[in-house]
Amino acid sequence: LEKVNNHYERQLFQCQKQLDTLSSKWCTDMPADEMASWKTDFHKLGQQLENLTDFTKVNITSCRKILEKASKYTKLPFMSKLWPKVDALPFAKSEADEALLNQTRAVWRRCTAESLSLSAANIDTATAASSKVRTIASDVPTVTELDLNMFPSGKVSRVWIALAEDGLGMPISVPVIVARGSVAGPVVGITSALHGNELNGIPLIHRLFREISPDTLHGTVIAVPVLNTPGFLMSQRGYTDGTDLNRKMPGKINGSSPQVYTYNIIHRIVCRFEYLIDLHTASSGRVNSLYVRADMLNAKAARMARLQNPQIIVHNSNPGGSLRGAAVERGIPAITVEIGDPSRFHKRFIKNALLGVTNILSHLCMIPSEEADPEYEPVLCTRSFWIFAKSGGILSVIPDIATWVRAGDLIATVHSIFGDLVEEYFAPQDGVIVGKHVDPVCQTGNRILHLGVVEDTLAPVADDGHL
């Protein structure tokens, strides 16, 4: 606790000092190169404060859980006696980190507003008055397929890849970011938001490309922040018609709209990859641990899974209809990374998953960084399965994600709308909670929880019931 508190106070002091320095440097007539440097430093400060806020929340939660479990299993008053001491430490009781983060954002808004006001004042008023039509232009080109030879070495490039057309004949495109290194090497593809409301992969990709230096990169990193753009715009899991695209791979060239879209994902983008990291989250109404699905009998995929530093690895052979399965059929080692919860940014899991991605790049000798040690040894589940509800009603799932249950433990209850107990569910065997349902409105057949099982051998075919 002393180390945690010292780190908190040290970081807080450094951030306050940096904010004071940046605030004093700001002026509206700053040269362009100095302005760019100032903005970069300010973004780094904001990221540092966000990390500090996450650090504080994680440690407060961890301390509380440790004391609660110690009190529960020893029957001793650890929580009542020790929690007040924890709560008295500055990192636990102070909100200075959040206050400083809000202050930093306020300074940024004020300075950028001044900059915009100055720019507006310099516009020729006569020209502005006479011009009522605004031409919308984009610096990012749209092409029909990914050709790596079109991108310069030693740079990060951006492009839209058209995969289909909408009812107006306009292209339905996906954004692609390409970092082509100055030295030849592997081609690693990272995809996100194949399910349109599974968003945690987006900030991971953004942060990765802020850190990548194409001058020293060996090989190419290709990222698609949103692979299902129609679903993303509709804040839904499926395609425009609700179809789950991760059940339609590799698609058909002359099939339905979702089949054509998935066919073009494979043939215009994914076929250029040599490795695939497919980023997902839990579905709506559920929460996940940070876990990886991979065929652990495939040496390359197994190594990628362990390098990802997840809480849990689920052995899962490559299911038909999935993006991972379609990639593996083409000889591309692939893993699926489940990063927390849907429709929100799960910052701690994003940070840990990003560390895993850079571990993979480092292992492939694409970046100079050394592989980082994991925060914990992942649990390797030789198989897993979902437990489903037999009755409808109000569902309560008891265990937390990434915790262990024993055979016979009570894991969930369903009550009627009048409050009567309808059904209890018990763990059928020992296992770890990979994910669970959190929406209390439960119909017959709804998923309750995803239970990972640890056994001695890996089966050649293993399906967790996810598809």
Side-chain angles (χ1 to χ4, degrees):
L1 287 176
E2 184 179 349
K3 288 183 178 180
V4 170
N5 198 62
N6 289 342
H7 175 79
Y8 171 81
E9 292 185 322
R10 184 168 58 252
Q11 288 289 309
L12 194 65
F13 174 78
Q14 291 174 355
C15 289
Q16 180 65 69
K17 186 176 179 181
Q18 177 72 347
L19 178 60
D20 293 341
T21 300
L22 290 171
S23 298
S24 65
K25 285 183 177 180
W26 168 258
C27 62
T28 53
D29 57 351
M30 192 183 295
D33 56 340
E34 291 184 20
M35 177 75 78
S37 177
W38 185 89
K39 288 182 177 180
T40 299
D41 290 342
F42 215 100
H43 279 301
K44 289 180 179 177
L45 173 61
Q47 187 63 58
Q48 188 176 354
L49 280 166
E50 287 183 0
N51 291 341
L52 181 60
T53 302
D54 291 343
F55 170 84
T56 303
K57 291 177 180 177
V58 166
N59 279 282
I60 291 172
T61 302
S62 299
C63 288
R64 181 180 287 277
K65 285 187 175 181
I66 290 169
L67 292 176
E68 285 175 346
K69 287 184 177 181
S71 298
K72 177 181 177 181
Y73 290 109
T74 65
K75 308 300 182 184
L76 296 173
F78 283 100
M79 187 66 187
S80 59
K81 287 192 176 292
L82 295 181
W83 178 250
K85 296 181 179 180
V86 175
D87 198 37
L89 293 170
F91 87 91
K93 71 175 183 179
S94 173
E95 297 180 354
D97 52 322
E98 294 190 12
L100 187 57
L101 179 58
N102 291 332
Q103 183 184 351
T104 301
R105 288 169 174 166
V107 171
W108 171 260
R109 288 193 296 270
R110 175 176 57 78
C111 293
T112 52
E114 289 176 1
S115 177
L116 289 171
S117 298
L118 182 66
S119 299
N122 291 333
I123 296 174
D124 182 78
T125 53
T127 302
S130 62
S131 177
K132 296 182 179 180
V133 177
R134 183 167 62 95
T135 300
I136 300 175
S138 174
D139 295 331
V140 181
T142 300
V143 297
T144 55
E145 65 179 273
L146 188 64
D147 179 3
L148 297 183
N149 293 321
M150 69 183 285
F151 302 109
S153 300
K155 291 187 177 181
V156 174
S157 304
R158 300 171 181 179
V159 68
W160 291 95
I161 305 291
L163 299 179
E165 292 183 356
D166 64 17
L168 294 175
M170 301 298 290
I172 302 175
S173 304
V174 297
V176 179
I177 310 172
V178 179
R180 190 176 181 193
S182 54
V183 181
V187 179
V188 173
I190 305 169
T191 55
S192 172
L194 177 58
H195 294 137
N197 62 346
E198 299 183 5
L199 309 179
N200 280 328
I202 298 173
L204 185 153
I205 288 170
H206 291 169
R207 293 182 191 182
L208 175 66
F209 276 82
R210 284 200 293 267
E211 295 177 6
I212 282 180
S213 173
D215 292 336
T216 58
L217 178 67
H218 290 223
T220 303
V221 178
I222 304 168
V224 188
V226 178
L227 199 51
N228 176 7
T229 47
F232 172 78
L233 293 173
M234 298 169 73
S235 297
Q236 69 180 30
R237 175 182 175 87
Y239 194 59
T240 50
D241 61 354
T243 297
D244 189 334
L245 297 179
N246 210 28
R247 310 292 186 267
K248 295 295 182 182
M249 302 290 176
K252 291 182 181 179
I253 192 170
N254 293 316
S256 64
S257 294
Q259 288 174 326
V260 173
Y261 191 86
T262 53
Y263 178 89
N264 287 332
I265 286 175
I266 299 297
H267 290 84
R268 296 184 182 184
I269 300 175
V270 175
C271 65
R272 307 292 190 267
F273 301 167
E274 295 175 6
Y275 298 86
L276 168 63
I277 305 170
D278 188 25
L279 307 177
H280 287 258
T281 73
S283 301
S284 180
R286 303 178 209 155
V287 293
N288 271 346
S289 57
L290 175 59
Y291 82 97
V292 171
R293 289 199 304 276
D295 183 353
M296 297 302 286
L297 294 175
N298 180 306
K300 290 183 178 179
R303 184 59 181 151
M304 291 169 67
R306 292 188 181 278
L307 286 166
Q308 192 60 46
N309 290 346
Q311 294 172 302
I312 299 168
I313 298 172
V314 173
H315 170 54
N316 177 258
S317 49
N318 309 300
S322 70
L323 176 58
R324 177 164 61 95
V328 170
E329 286 178 359
R330 285 156 179 75
I332 303 168
I335 62 173
T336 302
V337 185
E338 297 279 353
I339 313 172
D341 308 338
S343 301
R344 56 165 291 201
F345 288 157
H346 202 152
K347 292 181 180 178
R348 180 168 67 92
F349 280 2
I350 292 168
K351 180 180 177 182
N352 289 344
L354 174 58
L355 180 63
V357 171
T358 56
N359 276 350
I360 292 172
L361 299 182
S362 177
H363 174 73
L364 295 173
C365 301
M366 297 178 68
I367 58 176
S369 307
E370 296 181 0
E371 295 174 22
D373 293 330
E375 289 186 6
Y376 27 67
E377 185 66 24
V379 176
L380 173 56
C381 297
T382 52
R383 63 184 179 90
S384 69
F385 57 92
W386 279 92
I387 297 170
F388 294 87
K390 299 175 184 177
S391 306
I394 307 302
L395 174 69
S396 299
V397 184
I398 297 166
D400 289 332
I401 56 171
T403 59
W404 290 87
V405 293
R406 293 187 179 276
D409 284 355
L410 180 66
I411 56 173
T413 60
V414 174
H415 287 78
S416 74
I417 199 63
F418 299 102
D420 301 321
L421 179 64
V422 174
E423 193 134 23
E424 293 180 318
Y425 295 88
F426 300 89
Q429 60 189 108
D430 296 352
V432 64
I433 308 302
V434 180
K436 70 174 189 176
H437 205 76
V438 291
D439 185 348
V441 181
C442 174
Q443 295 183 2
T444 302
N446 274 16
R447 297 171 190 244
I448 295 176
L449 61 75
H450 185 188
L451 187 67
V453 178
V454 178
E455 295 172 332
D456 295 332
T457 57
L458 297 169
V461 178
D463 182 5
D464 60 6
H466 192 78
L467 288 178

